[in-house]
């Protein structure tokens, strides 16, 4: 057990740094186990500091200090400074002039399994410094509001580390004795140390170039291990697409002469926006049609876009403190979502983003770890790289876009860039720029930044035939969250459309307004308020919260008939899909009640007919078409229940899917056969859509346990020349009774055993299977030669997939899933605390289950809390979950 609780850091306690750093000269002599780091910091007292002390405190962890020097005089002695486990305190430094502090220390990258700071990955040395990893490289003012110019020299063995990379532009290189060489990099822009990067290793490069709108030529380089050279073309093209889009949509041009990407196999996150040298998880760089699915291709482009967009929304303008993390992440996620929507299908992208938000972020909002997008406190900042900060943060930015309009939002972003370029700022600064550029008042809207939880909109409607008016009464509320028992009304934009009973669009004309349109945005600002629409000769069907215009839960009484009608006629693509989700969800919930009452399940024919109409309509966007046929996930259905009943949710949902497959089998078969063709290597919307709808049909048909369908799946698996089709077929085989399951899994492994990212899919597919025996399979896979607890991707693909994507087996009534997860978290605690804490999310919702499961989950959380030398990361999540 740890001796004391970790310190809680509060936003209210923020003070400016006592000292500033103008420039940094770093010198690295690389070695796997003994890397020497010499830092030369040109510093000065911060005139804005109110502190009267003369000492200087620098952060540092796991460093072997060799010497400290002030102003190039004699080295300081032990009486001049104090070294602790996490800091170096120089007792007295000059107060009225600049001074130079030189520090020399050693670090051991090979022993750094936490993958923060400088570490070893597959023979490559690389860094991850966000949020507080730089302090594991050298002693420093490791906070984002200390910005400096960096000049970095790297010295290394030429054979071991032929490629030496860092931020900015290469300004010098040369040869040294003993087969060594050196390279110097200079970043001309001030940056916080969390944006520092260094990569060294035996890497090969794919090159390209980009001409900016002002005519500048930018060199583009993607560095990978030699065997991955043939998987870089998509990443390079994605970077060009992102650069062009940012110029066209935001007027932002790249500011260096060189842009580099490096793919790293051991990485805690997806990627990192280090200035000019983005370090990426291999998952978001490497792609070839036979090794990456259509979804992989889309995600690669989206993540590359995200990190590139950070150049302005995160690098040129950064966070004042880590409580402002959503300043850069929420805005940048919104930008990457819009980029992907413009590049693919806006309808599909919006649905996929909202699906993740509602299944995962809403759960975060409803749990013990709920926090605002700008948190008030934290123990370990790594625990706040959350869906709330990122995805909900993006929804808050989207609402500003809706309220101001596209032109107003662009004016606001232009002012933000102009006003704060080169600064470390706050979320309030961003909102203020939006206000000032548009003469808008977003005072009440700011509550979105400080208030946690998911608001609920309860809507009542009343149609008055005599006056031909429809009145919507909207009440907003938000459940209590930790530390916030009472919530104030938010400013919520609610997009509304009205649809006549013949399927035509009804005009939206609000009372006391001279304007009428097909759609209107209501500003809900009070606890309850009413909106009246006029000139309606008949009662329309209301299409509410179109485009998911706000991250809220909607409570409105729709009949099954109205939902089926909206599924057929709603002109808003999101709400059309949402009507199908609500229709299927309502029917599944009724079946769950039937099961609990011991009654036989019978499928309401209204959903069969609704799906039949969807199947019979012509569709230009086949990817969107396939989404209309998807049933709500078990995770989403669980979110709708007060006490989650995992077995009955699974049973009822499987019954609906199987019955739809039975009753619509001819339509599914025709669609499958019509769209089953080899278009490997083609990634246009048509080819992607055909693969998607074909594989959706196969997923339904595989529920029939029909020998012919089983043969279709097996043949598709054997003959597929692209990973999308091969994985879809293998999924159909593994997730249903199939005579060739074991052989297909063996064949897949043998085919792809040298492709790590494909083997990740192999692990994840088996771990998430609903079939009997899955837990035993997971236990066996833990001992597989290809499994490595030190590799975050492999941990996520097996342990993460089982605990977070397999509701049925993880929540087995005997608690074996909970004990298994706790065992792995305890093991990971000393290896990689970040990954360990993220694995804990599957246990944090323990109060939402029946009493027996609650007791079992709570016992494992308590066991984790009793871990010797428990990390801050794990302690914070576990303790808050039990509070």
């Amino acid at each position: 057990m740890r001796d004391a609780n970790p310190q809680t850091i509060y936003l209210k306690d923020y003070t400016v740094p006592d000292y500033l750093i103008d420039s940094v000269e770093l010198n690295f002599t690389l070695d796997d186990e003994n890397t020497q780091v010499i830092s030369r910091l040109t510093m000065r007292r911060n005139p804005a500091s109110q502190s009267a002390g003369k000492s200087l405190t620098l952060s540092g962890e796991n460093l072997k200090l060799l010497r400290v020097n002030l102003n190039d005089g004699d080295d300081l002695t032990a009486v001049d400074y104090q070294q602790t486990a996490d800091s170096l305190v120089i007792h007295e430094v000059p107060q009225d002039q600049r001074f130079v502090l030189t520090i020399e220390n050693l670090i051991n990258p090979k022993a750094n399994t936490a993958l923060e700071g400088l570490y070893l990955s597959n023979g490559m040395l690389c860094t991850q410094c966000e949020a507080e990893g730089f302090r594991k490289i050298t002693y420093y003012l490791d906070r984002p509001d200390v910005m400096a110019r960096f000049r970095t020299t790297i010295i290394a063995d030429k054979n071991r580390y032929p490629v030496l990379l860092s931020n900015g532009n290469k300004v010098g290189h040369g040869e040294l004795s003993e087969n060594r060489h050196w390279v110097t990099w200079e970043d001309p822009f001030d940056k916080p140390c969390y944006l520092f990067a260094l990569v060294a290793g035996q890497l090969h490069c794919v090159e390209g170039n980009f001409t900016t709108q002002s005519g500048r030529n930018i060199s583009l380089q993607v560095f990978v291990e030699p065997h991955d050279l043939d998987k870089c073309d998509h990443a390079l093209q994605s970077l060009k697409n992102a650069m062009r889009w940012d110029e066209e949509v935001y007027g932002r041009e790249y500011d260096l002469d060189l842009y580099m990407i490096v793919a790293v196999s051991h990485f805690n996150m997806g990627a990192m926006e280090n200035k000019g040298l983005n370090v990426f998880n291999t998952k978001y760089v490497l792609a070839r049609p036979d090794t990456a699915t259509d979804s992989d291709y889309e995600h690669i482009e989206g993540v590359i876009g995200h990190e590139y967009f950070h150049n302005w929304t995160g690098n040129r303008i950064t966070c004042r403190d880590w409580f402002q993390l959503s300043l850069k992440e929420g805005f940048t996620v919104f930008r990457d979502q819009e980029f992907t929507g413009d590049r693919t299908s806006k309808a599909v992208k919006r649905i996929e983003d909202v699906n993740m938000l509602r299944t995962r972020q809403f759960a975060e909002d409803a749990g013990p770890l709920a926090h605002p997008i700008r948190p008030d406190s934290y123990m370990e900042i790594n625990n706040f790289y959350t869906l709330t900060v990122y995805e909900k943060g993006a929804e808050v930015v989207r609402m500003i876009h809706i309220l101001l309009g596209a032109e107003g939002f662009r004016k606001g972003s232009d002012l933000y860039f102009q006003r704060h370029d080169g600064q470390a700022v706050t979320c309030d600064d961003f909102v203020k720029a939006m206000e000032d550029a548009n003469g808008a008042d977003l005072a009440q809207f700011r509550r979105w930044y400080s208030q946690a939880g998911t608001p609920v909109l309860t809507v009542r409607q009343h149609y008055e035939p005599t006056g031909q008016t429809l009145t919507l009464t909207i009440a907003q509320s938000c459940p209590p969250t930790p530390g916030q028992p009472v919530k104030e009304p938010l400013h919520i934009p609610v997009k509304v459309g009205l649809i006549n009973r013949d399927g035509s669009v009804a005009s939206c004309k609000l009372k006391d307004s001279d304007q009428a349109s097909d759609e209107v945005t209501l500003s809900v600002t009070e606890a309850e308020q009413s909106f009246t629409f006029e000139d309606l000769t008949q009662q329309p069907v209301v299409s509410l919260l179109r485009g998911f215009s706000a991250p809220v839960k909607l409570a409105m009484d729709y009949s099954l008939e109205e939902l089926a009608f909206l599924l057929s006629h709603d002109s808003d693509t999101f709400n059309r899909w949402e009507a199908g989700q609500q229709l299927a969800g309502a029917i599944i919930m009724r079946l769950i009640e039937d099961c609990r009452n011991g009654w036989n399940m019978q499928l309401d024919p209204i959903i069969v007919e609704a799906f039949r109409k969807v199947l019979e309509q012509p569709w230009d966007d086949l990817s969107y078409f396939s989404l209309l046929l998807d049933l709500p996930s078990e995770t989403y259905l669980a979110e709708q229940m007060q006490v989650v009943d995992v077995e009955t949710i699974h049973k009822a949902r499987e019954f609906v899917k199987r019955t739809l497959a039975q009753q619509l089998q001819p339509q599914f078969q025709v669609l499958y056969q019509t769209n089953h063709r080899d278009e490997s290597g083609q990634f246009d919307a048509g080819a992607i859509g055909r693969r998607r709808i074909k594989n959706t049909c196969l997923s339904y048909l595989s529920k029939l346990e029909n020998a012919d369908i089983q043969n279709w799946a097996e043949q598709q698996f054997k003959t597929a020349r692209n990973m999308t089709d091969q994985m879809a077929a293998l999924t159909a085989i593994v997730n249903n009774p199939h005579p060739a399951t074991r052989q297909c899994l063996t064949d897949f492994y043998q085919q792809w055993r040298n492709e790590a990212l494909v083997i990740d899919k192999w692990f994840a597919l088996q771990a998430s299977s609903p079939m009997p025996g899955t837990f035993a399979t997971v236990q066996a896979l833990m001992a597989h030669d290809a499994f490595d607890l030190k590799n975050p991707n492999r941990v996520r693909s097996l342990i993460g997939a089982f605990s977070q994507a397999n509701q049925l087996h993880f929540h087995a009534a005997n608690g074996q899933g909970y004990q298994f997860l706790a065992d792995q978290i305890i093991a990971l605690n000393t290896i990689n605390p970040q990954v360990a804490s993220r694995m804990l999310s599957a246990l944090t919702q323990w109060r939402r289950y029946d009493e027996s499961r609650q007791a079992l989950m709570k016992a494992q959380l308590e066991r984790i809390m009793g871990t010797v030398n428990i990390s801050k990361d794990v302690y914070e999540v576990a303790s808050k979950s039990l509070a």
Side-chain angles (χ1 to χ4, degrees), residues 683-696:
F683 295 97
D684 58 279
I688 292 171
R690 282 186 287 275
R691 285 192 286 270
R692 193 160 188 165
I693 192 63
K694 167 188 69 177
N695 290 322
T696 296

Side-chain angles (χ1 to χ4, degrees), residues 154-225:
I154 310 169
I155 301 169
D157 181 87
K158 288 193 295 184
N159 296 333
R160 183 78 176 82
Y161 303 110
V163 174
L164 305 174
L165 308 175
S166 192
N167 310 84
N169 299 313
K170 185 189 291 187
V171 294
H173 62 94
E175 304 291 319
L176 295 170
S177 61
E178 299 177 337
N179 197 43
R180 297 181 303 159
H181 65 145
W182 64 270
V183 177
T184 296
W185 294 83
E186 190 171 272
D187 188 344
F189 296 96
D190 288 350
K191 67 170 180 281
C193 64
Y194 83 82
L195 290 172
F196 173 78
L198 181 154
V199 176
Q202 298 176 7
L203 298 166
H204 286 210
C205 177
V206 173
E207 299 189 73
N209 60 77
F210 178 82
T211 303
T212 69
Q213 57 188 359
S214 67
R216 293 173 50 244
N217 183 64
I218 311 298
S219 296
L220 311 178
Q221 298 179 331
V222 180
F223 289 89
V224 295
E225 295 179 53

Side-chain angles (χ1 to χ4, degrees), residues 436-480:
D436 291 351
N438 291 277
D441 181 1
L442 297 174
Q444 182 180 1
F445 185 85
R446 280 178 166 82
R447 291 174 184 167
W448 280 102
Y449 285 89
S450 58
Q451 197 160 280
T454 303
V456 178
L457 295 184
T458 303
V459 183
R460 304 189 308 274
Q461 59 177 318
H462 174 71
Y463 178 71
E464 177 53 60
T466 304
Q468 297 185 348
T469 61
L470 173 72
T471 300
L472 296 179
T473 300
I474 304 178
Q476 62 164 300
S477 62
C478 190

Side-chain angles (χ1 to χ4, degrees), residues 4 8 93 434 484 534 580 614 655 704 748:
T8 298
V93 295
M434 291 291 167
Q484 293 186 344
E534 299 179 324
V614 171
F655 172 78
L704 301 177
F748 188 85

Side-chain angles (χ1 to χ4, degrees), residues 71-83:
N71 285 333
D72 296 325
D74 293 335
D75 288 351
L76 301 186
T77 66
V79 298
D80 300 314
Y81 62 84
Q82 179 184 4
Q83 186 182 13

Side-chain angles (χ1 to χ4, degrees), residues 478-487:
C478 190
T481 54
Q484 293 186 344
V486 179
K487 305 302 174 77

